[in-house]
Short mmCIF file of all heavy atoms in Angstrom, two decimals:
data_model
loop_
_atom_site.label_atom_id
_atom_site.label_comp_id
_atom_site.label_asym_id
_atom_site.label_seq_id
_atom_site.Cartn_x
_atom_site.Cartn_y
_atom_site.Cartn_z
N MET A 11 91.62 119.77 91.13
CA MET A 11 91.70 118.46 91.80
C MET A 11 93.16 118.09 92.04
O MET A 11 93.95 117.99 91.12
CB MET A 11 91.03 117.41 90.90
CG MET A 11 91.03 116.02 91.50
SD MET A 11 89.94 114.99 90.51
CE MET A 11 90.56 113.39 90.94
N SER A 12 93.51 117.91 93.26
CA SER A 12 94.89 117.55 93.57
C SER A 12 94.92 116.22 94.31
O SER A 12 94.40 116.10 95.41
CB SER A 12 95.55 118.62 94.42
OG SER A 12 94.92 118.72 95.66
N LEU A 13 95.52 115.24 93.67
CA LEU A 13 95.64 113.94 94.30
C LEU A 13 96.99 113.82 94.97
O LEU A 13 98.02 114.00 94.34
CB LEU A 13 95.49 112.83 93.25
CG LEU A 13 94.08 112.60 92.72
CD1 LEU A 13 94.12 111.56 91.61
CD2 LEU A 13 93.17 112.12 93.82
N LYS A 14 96.95 113.53 96.23
CA LYS A 14 98.20 113.33 96.95
C LYS A 14 98.22 111.96 97.58
O LYS A 14 97.20 111.47 98.07
CB LYS A 14 98.34 114.38 98.06
CG LYS A 14 98.75 115.74 97.55
CD LYS A 14 98.96 116.67 98.71
CE LYS A 14 99.27 118.08 98.25
NZ LYS A 14 99.36 118.98 99.41
N CYS A 15 99.38 111.35 97.59
CA CYS A 15 99.55 110.05 98.23
C CYS A 15 99.17 110.15 99.71
O CYS A 15 99.64 111.05 100.40
CB CYS A 15 101.00 109.61 98.07
SG CYS A 15 101.36 108.09 98.96
N SER A 16 98.33 109.25 100.16
CA SER A 16 97.86 109.31 101.54
C SER A 16 98.98 108.97 102.52
O SER A 16 98.87 109.26 103.71
CB SER A 16 96.71 108.32 101.74
OG SER A 16 95.63 108.68 100.90
N THR A 17 100.02 108.35 102.04
CA THR A 17 101.11 107.95 102.93
C THR A 17 102.21 109.00 103.00
O THR A 17 102.57 109.45 104.08
CB THR A 17 101.71 106.61 102.47
OG1 THR A 17 100.68 105.62 102.46
CG2 THR A 17 102.83 106.17 103.39
N CYS A 18 102.74 109.40 101.86
CA CYS A 18 103.89 110.30 101.87
C CYS A 18 103.54 111.73 101.49
O CYS A 18 104.34 112.63 101.64
CB CYS A 18 105.00 109.76 100.96
SG CYS A 18 104.59 109.78 99.21
N GLY A 19 102.33 111.95 101.01
CA GLY A 19 101.90 113.31 100.70
C GLY A 19 102.38 113.83 99.35
O GLY A 19 102.12 114.97 99.00
N LYS A 20 103.04 112.99 98.60
CA LYS A 20 103.55 113.39 97.30
C LYS A 20 102.40 113.51 96.30
O LYS A 20 101.46 112.72 96.32
CB LYS A 20 104.54 112.32 96.85
CG LYS A 20 105.21 112.56 95.53
CD LYS A 20 106.19 111.40 95.29
CE LYS A 20 106.50 111.25 93.81
NZ LYS A 20 107.27 110.02 93.56
N LYS A 21 102.48 114.50 95.45
CA LYS A 21 101.46 114.64 94.42
C LYS A 21 101.60 113.53 93.41
O LYS A 21 102.69 113.28 92.90
CB LYS A 21 101.61 116.00 93.73
CG LYS A 21 101.06 117.14 94.54
CD LYS A 21 101.18 118.44 93.78
CE LYS A 21 100.83 119.62 94.69
NZ LYS A 21 101.12 120.90 94.05
N VAL A 22 100.51 112.87 93.12
CA VAL A 22 100.57 111.72 92.21
C VAL A 22 99.95 112.03 90.86
O VAL A 22 99.88 111.17 90.00
CB VAL A 22 99.88 110.48 92.82
CG1 VAL A 22 100.62 110.01 94.05
CG2 VAL A 22 98.43 110.75 93.12
N ILE A 23 99.50 113.26 90.69
CA ILE A 23 98.78 113.60 89.48
C ILE A 23 99.64 113.41 88.23
O ILE A 23 99.14 113.09 87.17
CB ILE A 23 98.24 115.05 89.56
CG1 ILE A 23 97.10 115.25 88.58
CG2 ILE A 23 99.35 116.08 89.40
CD1 ILE A 23 95.80 114.58 89.02
N SER A 24 100.93 113.53 88.38
CA SER A 24 101.83 113.37 87.23
C SER A 24 102.37 111.95 87.13
O SER A 24 103.11 111.63 86.22
CB SER A 24 102.99 114.36 87.33
OG SER A 24 103.69 114.16 88.53
N GLU A 25 102.00 111.12 88.09
CA GLU A 25 102.50 109.75 88.07
C GLU A 25 101.52 108.84 87.36
O GLU A 25 100.31 109.05 87.37
CB GLU A 25 102.68 109.25 89.52
CG GLU A 25 103.73 110.03 90.26
CD GLU A 25 104.52 109.12 91.19
OE1 GLU A 25 104.21 107.92 91.24
OE2 GLU A 25 105.44 109.62 91.84
N GLU A 26 102.05 107.81 86.76
CA GLU A 26 101.19 106.87 86.06
C GLU A 26 100.76 105.72 86.95
O GLU A 26 99.64 105.25 86.89
CB GLU A 26 101.91 106.31 84.83
CG GLU A 26 102.07 107.35 83.73
CD GLU A 26 102.90 106.81 82.57
OE1 GLU A 26 102.97 105.59 82.42
OE2 GLU A 26 103.46 107.63 81.83
N ASN A 27 101.67 105.29 87.77
CA ASN A 27 101.40 104.09 88.57
C ASN A 27 100.97 104.43 89.98
O ASN A 27 101.66 104.17 90.95
CB ASN A 27 102.65 103.20 88.62
CG ASN A 27 102.97 102.63 87.26
OD1 ASN A 27 102.09 102.15 86.57
ND2 ASN A 27 104.23 102.68 86.89
N PHE A 28 99.81 105.02 90.10
CA PHE A 28 99.28 105.20 91.44
C PHE A 28 97.91 104.54 91.52
O PHE A 28 97.27 104.28 90.51
CB PHE A 28 99.21 106.67 91.84
CG PHE A 28 98.15 107.45 91.11
CD1 PHE A 28 96.86 107.52 91.63
CD2 PHE A 28 98.45 108.12 89.93
CE1 PHE A 28 95.88 108.24 90.96
CE2 PHE A 28 97.48 108.84 89.26
CZ PHE A 28 96.19 108.90 89.77
N VAL A 29 97.50 104.23 92.72
CA VAL A 29 96.20 103.59 92.90
C VAL A 29 95.35 104.46 93.81
O VAL A 29 95.85 105.18 94.65
CB VAL A 29 96.33 102.19 93.54
CG1 VAL A 29 96.97 101.23 92.56
CG2 VAL A 29 97.11 102.22 94.83
N GLN A 30 94.05 104.40 93.62
CA GLN A 30 93.16 105.06 94.55
C GLN A 30 91.94 104.18 94.78
O GLN A 30 91.46 103.51 93.89
CB GLN A 30 92.77 106.46 94.07
CG GLN A 30 92.07 106.51 92.74
CD GLN A 30 91.62 107.94 92.44
OE1 GLN A 30 91.14 108.65 93.29
NE2 GLN A 30 91.77 108.33 91.18
N PHE A 31 91.51 104.18 96.00
CA PHE A 31 90.38 103.34 96.36
C PHE A 31 89.73 103.94 97.60
O PHE A 31 90.33 104.75 98.29
CB PHE A 31 90.85 101.91 96.66
CG PHE A 31 92.03 101.83 97.62
CD1 PHE A 31 91.80 101.71 98.97
CD2 PHE A 31 93.32 101.90 97.14
CE1 PHE A 31 92.88 101.64 99.85
CE2 PHE A 31 94.41 101.85 98.01
CZ PHE A 31 94.18 101.71 99.37
N ASN A 32 88.53 103.50 97.86
CA ASN A 32 87.84 103.99 99.06
C ASN A 32 88.34 103.23 100.28
O ASN A 32 88.68 102.06 100.20
CB ASN A 32 86.33 103.80 98.92
CG ASN A 32 85.71 104.79 97.96
OD1 ASN A 32 86.21 105.91 97.80
ND2 ASN A 32 84.65 104.40 97.30
N CYS A 33 88.35 103.92 101.39
CA CYS A 33 88.77 103.31 102.64
C CYS A 33 87.99 102.03 102.89
O CYS A 33 86.76 102.02 102.84
CB CYS A 33 88.54 104.29 103.79
SG CYS A 33 88.73 103.56 105.41
N PRO A 34 88.68 100.91 103.14
CA PRO A 34 87.98 99.63 103.37
C PRO A 34 87.19 99.61 104.67
O PRO A 34 86.35 98.74 104.87
CB PRO A 34 89.12 98.60 103.39
CG PRO A 34 90.36 99.37 103.65
CD PRO A 34 90.13 100.77 103.16
N SER A 35 87.46 100.54 105.53
CA SER A 35 86.76 100.57 106.82
C SER A 35 85.49 101.41 106.76
O SER A 35 84.40 100.93 107.03
CB SER A 35 87.70 101.11 107.90
OG SER A 35 87.04 101.16 109.13
N CYS A 36 85.63 102.68 106.38
CA CYS A 36 84.46 103.56 106.39
C CYS A 36 83.88 103.75 104.99
O CYS A 36 82.73 104.14 104.84
CB CYS A 36 84.81 104.91 107.01
SG CYS A 36 85.96 105.89 106.03
N GLY A 37 84.70 103.49 103.95
CA GLY A 37 84.21 103.61 102.59
C GLY A 37 83.98 105.03 102.12
O GLY A 37 83.46 105.26 101.04
N LYS A 38 84.36 106.00 102.93
CA LYS A 38 84.08 107.39 102.57
C LYS A 38 85.30 108.13 102.08
O LYS A 38 85.21 109.02 101.25
CB LYS A 38 83.49 108.13 103.78
CG LYS A 38 82.07 107.69 104.09
CD LYS A 38 81.57 108.37 105.36
CE LYS A 38 80.17 107.87 105.70
NZ LYS A 38 79.75 108.32 107.03
N GLU A 39 86.42 107.80 102.67
CA GLU A 39 87.65 108.52 102.32
C GLU A 39 88.32 107.89 101.10
O GLU A 39 88.38 106.67 100.98
CB GLU A 39 88.60 108.49 103.52
CG GLU A 39 89.86 109.32 103.32
CD GLU A 39 89.59 110.82 103.34
OE1 GLU A 39 88.55 111.23 103.85
OE2 GLU A 39 90.45 111.56 102.84
N ASN A 40 88.78 108.76 100.21
CA ASN A 40 89.50 108.29 99.04
C ASN A 40 90.98 108.16 99.38
O ASN A 40 91.64 109.14 99.67
CB ASN A 40 89.29 109.28 97.89
CG ASN A 40 89.78 108.74 96.58
OD1 ASN A 40 89.75 107.55 96.35
ND2 ASN A 40 90.25 109.60 95.71
N ILE A 41 91.46 106.95 99.37
CA ILE A 41 92.86 106.70 99.69
C ILE A 41 93.67 106.70 98.40
O ILE A 41 93.29 106.05 97.43
CB ILE A 41 93.04 105.33 100.38
CG1 ILE A 41 92.09 105.19 101.58
CG2 ILE A 41 94.50 105.13 100.79
CD1 ILE A 41 92.44 106.00 102.78
N VAL A 42 94.75 107.42 98.40
CA VAL A 42 95.62 107.49 97.23
C VAL A 42 97.00 106.99 97.62
O VAL A 42 97.52 107.34 98.68
CB VAL A 42 95.71 108.94 96.70
CG1 VAL A 42 96.60 109.00 95.46
CG2 VAL A 42 94.34 109.49 96.39
N ARG A 43 97.55 106.17 96.77
CA ARG A 43 98.91 105.69 97.07
C ARG A 43 99.77 105.80 95.82
O ARG A 43 99.37 105.36 94.74
CB ARG A 43 98.87 104.23 97.51
CG ARG A 43 98.00 104.00 98.70
CD ARG A 43 98.14 102.60 99.20
NE ARG A 43 99.34 102.47 100.02
CZ ARG A 43 99.90 101.32 100.32
NH1 ARG A 43 99.41 100.22 99.85
NH2 ARG A 43 100.94 101.27 101.09
N CYS A 44 100.93 106.37 96.00
CA CYS A 44 101.85 106.46 94.88
C CYS A 44 102.52 105.12 94.65
O CYS A 44 102.45 104.22 95.49
CB CYS A 44 102.90 107.56 95.12
SG CYS A 44 104.10 107.19 96.40
N HIS A 45 103.17 105.00 93.53
CA HIS A 45 103.78 103.72 93.16
C HIS A 45 104.82 103.29 94.20
O HIS A 45 104.88 102.13 94.59
CB HIS A 45 104.43 103.85 91.78
CG HIS A 45 105.04 102.58 91.29
ND1 HIS A 45 104.28 101.44 91.08
CD2 HIS A 45 106.31 102.26 90.98
CE1 HIS A 45 105.09 100.48 90.64
NE2 HIS A 45 106.32 100.93 90.58
N ALA A 46 105.62 104.22 94.65
CA ALA A 46 106.68 103.89 95.61
C ALA A 46 106.10 103.32 96.90
O ALA A 46 106.57 102.31 97.42
CB ALA A 46 107.51 105.13 95.92
N CYS A 47 105.05 103.95 97.41
CA CYS A 47 104.46 103.49 98.67
C CYS A 47 103.76 102.15 98.47
O CYS A 47 103.71 101.32 99.38
CB CYS A 47 103.47 104.52 99.19
SG CYS A 47 104.30 106.01 99.80
N LYS A 48 103.23 101.92 97.31
CA LYS A 48 102.59 100.65 97.02
C LYS A 48 103.62 99.52 97.01
O LYS A 48 103.43 98.49 97.63
CB LYS A 48 101.87 100.73 95.67
CG LYS A 48 100.84 99.64 95.46
CD LYS A 48 100.12 99.80 94.15
CE LYS A 48 100.93 99.25 93.00
NZ LYS A 48 100.16 99.20 91.74
N VAL A 49 104.71 99.77 96.32
CA VAL A 49 105.77 98.76 96.22
C VAL A 49 106.36 98.47 97.59
O VAL A 49 106.65 97.33 97.94
CB VAL A 49 106.86 99.24 95.24
CG1 VAL A 49 108.09 98.36 95.32
CG2 VAL A 49 106.32 99.22 93.82
N LEU A 50 106.55 99.52 98.38
CA LEU A 50 107.17 99.36 99.69
C LEU A 50 106.16 98.95 100.76
O LEU A 50 106.52 98.76 101.91
CB LEU A 50 107.85 100.67 100.11
CG LEU A 50 109.03 101.08 99.22
CD1 LEU A 50 109.48 102.49 99.58
CD2 LEU A 50 110.18 100.10 99.35
N SER A 51 104.89 98.84 100.37
CA SER A 51 103.82 98.44 101.29
C SER A 51 103.79 99.32 102.54
O SER A 51 103.64 98.84 103.66
CB SER A 51 103.97 96.97 101.70
OG SER A 51 103.77 96.15 100.57
N ARG A 52 103.96 100.60 102.31
CA ARG A 52 103.86 101.52 103.44
C ARG A 52 102.41 101.62 103.90
O ARG A 52 101.49 101.49 103.11
CB ARG A 52 104.36 102.91 103.02
CG ARG A 52 105.85 102.97 102.87
CD ARG A 52 106.25 104.38 102.49
NE ARG A 52 107.70 104.49 102.34
CZ ARG A 52 108.28 105.34 101.47
NH1 ARG A 52 107.54 106.12 100.72
NH2 ARG A 52 109.57 105.41 101.40
N HIS A 53 102.26 101.88 105.17
CA HIS A 53 100.92 101.98 105.72
C HIS A 53 100.29 103.32 105.37
O HIS A 53 100.96 104.31 105.23
CB HIS A 53 100.95 101.80 107.24
CG HIS A 53 101.13 100.37 107.65
ND1 HIS A 53 100.86 99.92 108.91
CD2 HIS A 53 101.54 99.29 106.94
CE1 HIS A 53 101.11 98.62 108.97
NE2 HIS A 53 101.53 98.21 107.80
N TYR A 54 98.99 103.31 105.27
CA TYR A 54 98.26 104.56 105.09
C TYR A 54 97.29 104.71 106.25
O TYR A 54 96.95 103.74 106.91
CB TYR A 54 97.50 104.57 103.76
CG TYR A 54 96.50 103.44 103.63
CD1 TYR A 54 95.24 103.54 104.21
CD2 TYR A 54 96.82 102.29 102.93
CE1 TYR A 54 94.32 102.51 104.09
CE2 TYR A 54 95.91 101.25 102.81
CZ TYR A 54 94.66 101.37 103.40
OH TYR A 54 93.77 100.34 103.30
N ILE A 55 96.90 105.93 106.49
CA ILE A 55 95.91 106.17 107.53
C ILE A 55 94.75 106.95 106.93
O ILE A 55 94.94 107.98 106.29
CB ILE A 55 96.52 106.97 108.70
CG1 ILE A 55 97.63 106.15 109.35
CG2 ILE A 55 95.45 107.33 109.72
CD1 ILE A 55 98.40 106.92 110.42
N CYS A 56 93.55 106.45 107.12
CA CYS A 56 92.36 107.13 106.62
C CYS A 56 92.14 108.40 107.43
O CYS A 56 92.11 108.36 108.65
CB CYS A 56 91.15 106.20 106.74
SG CYS A 56 89.59 107.03 106.37
N LYS A 57 91.98 109.50 106.72
CA LYS A 57 91.80 110.78 107.41
C LYS A 57 90.42 110.86 108.04
O LYS A 57 90.17 111.63 108.95
CB LYS A 57 91.98 111.93 106.42
CG LYS A 57 93.43 112.29 106.20
CD LYS A 57 93.59 113.35 105.12
CE LYS A 57 93.65 112.70 103.76
NZ LYS A 57 93.71 113.65 102.65
N ASN A 58 89.50 110.08 107.53
CA ASN A 58 88.12 110.15 108.02
C ASN A 58 87.91 109.34 109.30
O ASN A 58 87.37 109.83 110.27
CB ASN A 58 87.18 109.68 106.92
CG ASN A 58 85.72 109.85 107.31
OD1 ASN A 58 85.30 110.94 107.67
ND2 ASN A 58 84.96 108.77 107.27
N CYS A 59 88.36 108.08 109.29
CA CYS A 59 88.07 107.22 110.44
C CYS A 59 89.31 106.77 111.18
O CYS A 59 89.21 106.12 112.22
CB CYS A 59 87.26 105.99 109.97
SG CYS A 59 88.22 104.85 108.96
N GLY A 60 90.48 107.08 110.63
CA GLY A 60 91.70 106.71 111.33
C GLY A 60 92.15 105.28 111.07
O GLY A 60 93.09 104.79 111.70
N PHE A 61 91.48 104.62 110.15
CA PHE A 61 91.84 103.24 109.82
C PHE A 61 93.27 103.18 109.25
O PHE A 61 93.65 103.99 108.42
CB PHE A 61 90.85 102.68 108.80
CG PHE A 61 91.21 101.30 108.31
CD1 PHE A 61 90.94 100.18 109.08
CD2 PHE A 61 91.81 101.13 107.06
CE1 PHE A 61 91.26 98.91 108.62
CE2 PHE A 61 92.13 99.85 106.59
CZ PHE A 61 91.86 98.75 107.38
N GLU A 62 94.02 102.22 109.74
CA GLU A 62 95.39 102.04 109.26
C GLU A 62 95.48 100.76 108.46
O GLU A 62 95.02 99.71 108.92
CB GLU A 62 96.32 101.95 110.47
CG GLU A 62 97.52 102.86 110.36
CD GLU A 62 98.35 102.81 111.62
OE1 GLU A 62 97.81 103.20 112.67
OE2 GLU A 62 99.49 102.37 111.56
N GLY A 63 96.01 100.85 107.26
CA GLY A 63 96.06 99.65 106.43
C GLY A 63 97.33 99.54 105.61
O GLY A 63 98.02 100.53 105.42
N PRO A 64 97.60 98.36 105.16
CA PRO A 64 98.78 98.14 104.34
C PRO A 64 98.53 98.51 102.87
O PRO A 64 97.38 98.61 102.48
CB PRO A 64 99.02 96.64 104.47
CG PRO A 64 97.67 96.08 104.74
CD PRO A 64 96.89 97.13 105.46
ZN1 ZN B 112 103.58 107.81 98.57
ZN1 ZN B 113 88.07 105.34 106.74
#
């Protein structure tokens, strides 16, 4: 299982402060965000439906 940040592609498996949640639009894709992208409020794009969110 390899968790990568949906925004920057960095592996978050070794990080403590990352979040993961289902896409708020389609609910199917698992969105992962590393701590840096969360703090900087970088946008992510759902690979399944293309939803873009903060
Ligand atoms: Zn990131
Ligand atoms: Zn989606």
Side-chain angles (χ1 to χ4, degrees):
M11 181 168 158
S12 65
L13 286 175
K14 283 184 185 176
C15 174
S16 299
T17 301
C18 68
K20 181 179 158 188
K21 283 182 189 172
V22 295
I23 201 74
S24 58
E25 296 216 359
E26 289 175 23
N27 294 314
F28 71 89
V29 290
Q30 60 175 319
F31 49 92
N32 286 330
C33 169
S35 179
C36 68
K38 288 176 183 170
E39 185 71 19
N40 191 31
I41 308 288
V42 181
R43 303 188 81 198
C44 70
H45 182 61
C47 290
K48 197 177 81 170
V49 169
L50 295 171
S51 294
R52 286 181 180 149
H53 284 196
Y54 58 82
I55 297 173
C56 172
K57 278 175 274 176
N58 185 55
C59 69
F61 175 79
E62 229 176 297

